[in-house]
Amino acid sequence: MEQNNGTEVAEFILLGFTGQPKYWHIFFTVFLVIYVATLVGNIGMILLIKIDSSLHTPMYFFLQNLAFVDLCYASAITPKMLQNFVGTKKSISFIGCMVQLLVYGTFITSDSYILAAMAVDRYVAICNPLHYPAVMSWRACIQLLIGSYFMGFLNACVNVSFTFSLNFCKSNEINHFFCDEPPIMALSCSNIYFNVMVLAAFVGFNLTFTMSVIIFSYIFILIAILKISSAAGRKKAFSTCASHLIAVTIFCGTLSYMYLHHHTTGSQEQEKMASVFYGVMIPMLNPLIYSLRNQDVREALKGIGKKYFRFNP
């Protein structure tokens, strides 16, 4: 479908995955199960931290917000994707596409900043335990959280405004399962060099800044752990960081691949798979990572189970 300029585009067509028309029922079932698991896991994590007073600490305050952010950006793309699997018209309105990208961009950027805040929390807890209550006060935690959401919203607003200011005259068919900047820019007949540079600059800055905070935090954490004389003490200190390290590695690795590698036509399907992983799979995996690898969460789950699901003969 040919378009003359950006103002005449009323809707976009989401092409989805290769083989989607033939195997739509398999795609629908798999992603529905993943999304339900995402809802259950993240809502469960939010409620668990709220209910259990032993988890009312800065680390779990950030974890609770991480679960909320994961829930939001997964919900920005997955329900529409499920609808397109079963619908005959796989379209999204121009405004709907903007809103989807704005919500998705806000929360996925906020995710990286919350992960960085969690790294700072672990650094203070392990390297400066005596000053931990003063440094990681509730005021400081709230300021870090507000900063994370602000940076997410700022990044999303800039990228959405630059992306949708383009003229679209090639087609209105997005070769993706949701509205993301690179495949939308590919539809433009405008010179997109500046827009691509802005996208790379903002994504590059956000990733570089948050990863630098995480890396330097863990360098100091590792040095502090190696100074602990007992093996049990080193193991306990490292165990508090293991879940966070796994989550950071998965999230930032796939996000870096998606936005900062060289885009070619042959890599579009690989980019979709990367998008599935960080946009759909990671929100499902994070609650599992933090529950299976975290002793405090496991104990809280056991306590809730005994309190609310105990049968009295």
Side-chain angles (χ1 to χ4, degrees):
M1 182 177 178
E2 297 298 319
Q3 309 292 338
N4 294 322
N5 56 61
T7 60
E8 293 185 9
V9 177
E11 64 179 17
F12 292 102
I13 307 298
L14 297 169
L15 297 181
F17 302 97
T18 300
Q20 181 174 315
K22 185 177 181 181
Y23 302 107
W24 68 267
H25 52 289
I26 297 176
F27 283 113
F28 179 81
T29 303
V30 170
F31 285 107
L32 178 61
V33 170
I34 292 172
Y35 185 57
V36 170
T38 300
L39 291 176
V40 172
N42 286 288
I43 292 174
M45 183 66 73
I46 292 169
L47 294 177
L48 178 67
I49 294 171
K50 183 176 179 60
I51 292 170
D52 196 300
S53 58
S54 68
L55 300 180
H56 293 176
T57 64
M59 182 174 76
Y60 294 106
F61 170 75
F62 290 122
L63 180 56
Q64 187 178 43
N65 280 275
L66 184 70
F68 172 72
V69 165
D70 286 344
L71 188 65
C72 288
Y73 79 74
S75 296
I77 60 175
T78 310
K80 183 61 180 176
M81 179 173 60
L82 293 172
Q83 180 188 345
N84 287 344
F85 285 144
V86 298
T88 54
K89 190 177 182 182
K90 309 180 191 310
S91 63
I92 185 170
S93 68
F94 187 87
I95 298 299
C97 195
M98 289 181 64
V99 172
Q100 185 184 62
L101 185 55
L102 180 66
V103 174
Y104 175 77
T106 296
F107 287 109
I108 201 163
T109 306
S110 300
D111 199 302
S112 63
Y113 278 91
I114 291 174
L115 288 171
M118 293 173 74
V120 172
D121 173 77
R122 291 299 83 205
Y123 159 74
V124 178
I126 293 173
C127 299
N128 297 288
L130 296 179
H131 297 96
Y132 181 76
V135 175
M136 296 305 296
S137 64
W138 285 113
R139 181 179 179 181
C141 292
I142 291 171
Q143 288 174 341
L144 286 170
L145 186 66
I146 291 173
S148 299
Y149 285 125
F150 173 76
M151 290 302 296
F153 185 67
L154 176 65
N155 177 70
C157 285
V158 171
N159 285 322
V160 167
S161 61
F162 274 93
T163 299
F164 287 94
S165 65
L166 296 169
N167 293 325
F168 301 102
C169 60
K170 294 180 180 179
S171 172
N172 69 337
E173 296 181 340
I174 299 175
N175 188 16
H176 215 303
F177 59 89
F178 75 102
C179 294
D180 201 10
E181 284 109 331
I184 294 174
M185 288 183 182
L187 305 180
S188 176
C189 56
S190 306
N191 186 340
I192 65 171
Y193 176 79
F194 180 71
N195 302 70
V196 171
M197 290 299 101
V198 170
L199 172 63
F202 270 80
V203 174
F205 170 78
N206 290 324
L207 279 174
T208 302
F209 178 77
T210 54
M211 284 303 298
S212 296
V213 170
I214 292 167
I215 289 169
F216 281 109
S217 295
Y218 274 102
I219 288 173
F220 288 112
I221 287 171
L222 181 61
I223 293 171
I225 290 175
L226 292 176
K227 290 180 179 178
I228 299 174
S229 57
S230 67
R234 288 194 297 269
K235 183 178 179 181
K236 182 179 179 181
F238 183 76
S239 67
T240 64
C241 306
S243 300
H244 182 251
L245 272 174
I246 294 170
V248 165
T249 302
I250 294 173
F251 180 83
C252 292
T254 52
L255 202 63
S256 300
Y257 171 82
M258 178 63 202
Y259 286 101
L260 300 180
H261 84 294
H262 179 67
H263 294 279
T264 62
T265 303
S267 69
Q268 287 179 345
E269 293 304 316
Q270 294 178 357
E271 291 169 9
K272 290 179 191 177
M273 291 302 103
S275 297
V276 166
F277 196 74
Y278 75 75
V280 179
M281 293 295 295
I282 287 178
M284 179 193 71
L285 292 175
N286 276 345
L288 293 175
I289 292 170
Y290 282 101
S291 59
L292 296 176
R293 300 281 306 178
N294 189 296
Q295 183 66 30
D296 293 336
V297 174
R298 291 201 304 268
E299 291 299 322
L301 283 171
K302 289 178 183 178
I304 294 295
K306 291 177 181 178
K307 183 176 180 180
Y308 292 101
F309 302 101
R310 182 174 55 190
F311 292 98
N312 294 316

